[in-house]
Amino acid sequence: MAYVPGVALLAALVVGCSAGADSNANGTDSKAGTPTVSPAPPGKYLTLPAPCRAVPRSTLKDLLPGAAELPGDQQDKVFRGSAAVTYDTDRKVGCNWKADGPNATRSLSIDLERVVSYDPAVSDDDRADTVYAKKEKAAGLSSSAPAGPPDEKDKKDEAGEGSGKAKDPADGDADATDSADPSPSGSDSASSGESTGGTPGSSSSPEEALPSRILDNLGDAAFLQDLPKKAGSTAQHHTVSVVFRTSNVVVTVRYTEQPALVTQVPDGKELQEKAQALARKLAETLSE
């Protein structure tokens, strides 16, 4: 067996290591030229407020006048509300209130969803904008934000898997409500000049004068959906929904009146004004 002096062996090892280092530095598998992609910024909101405490008691008294007729302990129960069933309160929360009065039953629900994007190339805000845009489109209103085809994450969100929310019986068929045909955007008139279409004028029906529409100065984007009773129904059931987005949170306010008598017609304008006022208070609370 040939004998290799120790000095010669050490020199050979040094040359071999240097060659390997040069190969890694200059070889074709080097990552030095690969551009670094910065992740999209996170959303503003990392948590959600307690939903049943998000609406002040004074506001609930105004929205649920029938509660004033109840004894003190029953009033407290009404104003405490009923939390929606969810499995991830960091992502989605909600609360429902209902009060039966001598003239009408009024119910209120709020739903807050904190949207998180798991795609590093898509920000939480952009993802939330897509969620909001789909709700706006389902309401039959034009959307300025493009909503691409649903991916697997979208399908899970729509099925309630992404947010971990179980369907709340108190909400009724929310998807059917959101997708119901709103009053035409080109109807004869609109209240308070907030309609995106139509010419102000008079109308024999309050519902026709208060169409669904895009709202200004509420969060980053907002719309109102007015849902008077269905044609042919004897019940004077009237629901107003206000949906808005602020950063990566999408909020839905749903306010309903059911008169005690079929001859009574809910005041759609009042329902709209009160639903909008509550939505603005919630937007201010989130911004604090």
Side-chain angles (χ1 to χ4, degrees):
M1 180 173 64
Y3 172 73
V4 181
V7 174
L9 177 60
L10 178 60
L13 290 173
V14 171
V15 171
C17 291
S18 299
D22 291 341
S23 175
N24 289 336
N26 302 319
T28 56
D29 61 344
S30 174
K31 299 296 188 291
T34 303
T36 302
V37 178
S38 299
K44 177 180 178 181
Y45 302 103
L46 302 179
T47 60
L48 291 170
C52 292
R53 295 200 296 269
V55 183
R57 191 182 182 101
S58 58
T59 301
L60 289 173
K61 286 182 177 180
D62 180 51
L63 294 171
L64 306 170
E69 308 294 328
L70 300 174
D73 57 339
Q74 294 185 32
Q75 280 192 40
D76 291 339
K77 183 178 180 180
V78 169
F79 293 141
R80 278 198 302 269
S82 175
V85 178
T86 66
Y87 299 103
D88 188 353
T89 54
D90 286 334
R91 290 288 308 278
K92 197 164 188 176
V93 296
C95 192
N96 307 280
W97 298 265
K98 183 178 180 180
D100 296 322
N103 298 320
T105 296
R106 293 201 182 189
S107 58
L108 169 71
S109 70
I110 62 172
D111 181 276
L112 300 94
E113 179 180 0
R114 185 176 68 89
V115 181
V116 177
S117 173
Y118 295 100
D119 185 347
V122 179
S123 69
D124 292 347
D125 282 19
D126 287 342
R127 174 67 184 166
D129 195 36
T130 300
V131 172
Y132 166 83
K134 289 180 179 179
K135 293 178 180 290
E136 190 179 87
K137 183 178 180 181
L141 300 170
S142 61
S143 175
S144 57
D151 52 20
E152 291 302 319
K153 179 66 171 57
D154 296 333
K155 294 175 182 177
K156 288 182 180 180
D157 284 347
E158 292 170 0
E161 298 174 11
S163 62
K165 178 177 180 180
K167 187 172 181 62
D168 186 0
D171 287 341
D173 190 354
D175 291 337
T177 300
D178 287 342
S179 60
D181 290 337
S183 301
S185 59
S187 57
D188 291 339
S189 64
S191 66
S192 67
E194 290 182 286
S195 173
T196 57
T199 303
S202 60
S203 173
S204 58
S205 171
E207 290 85 355
E208 293 177 3
L210 297 165
S212 301
R213 59 197 181 275
I214 304 297
L215 299 176
D216 296 326
N217 303 319
L218 176 56
D220 296 313
F223 71 86
L224 180 148
Q225 186 177 21
D226 188 83
L227 299 168
K229 72 168 186 175
K230 295 180 180 179
S233 173
T234 56
Q236 299 288 353
H237 184 274
H238 197 129
T239 299
V240 171
S241 293
V242 175
V243 180
F244 70 90
R245 178 183 74 84
T246 174
S247 186
N248 61 316
V249 171
V250 178
V251 180
T252 300
V253 174
R254 186 174 291 109
Y255 188 39
T256 301
E257 179 179 347
Q258 173 69 61
L261 301 176
V262 295
T263 55
Q264 295 176 320
V265 179
D267 186 342
K269 183 177 180 180
E270 179 194 10
L271 295 175
Q272 288 198 13
E273 289 176 347
K274 290 187 175 183
Q276 289 184 73
L278 174 57
R280 296 186 191 282
K281 285 184 179 181
L282 291 175
E284 291 173 0
T285 300
L286 287 170
S287 299
E288 293 176 351

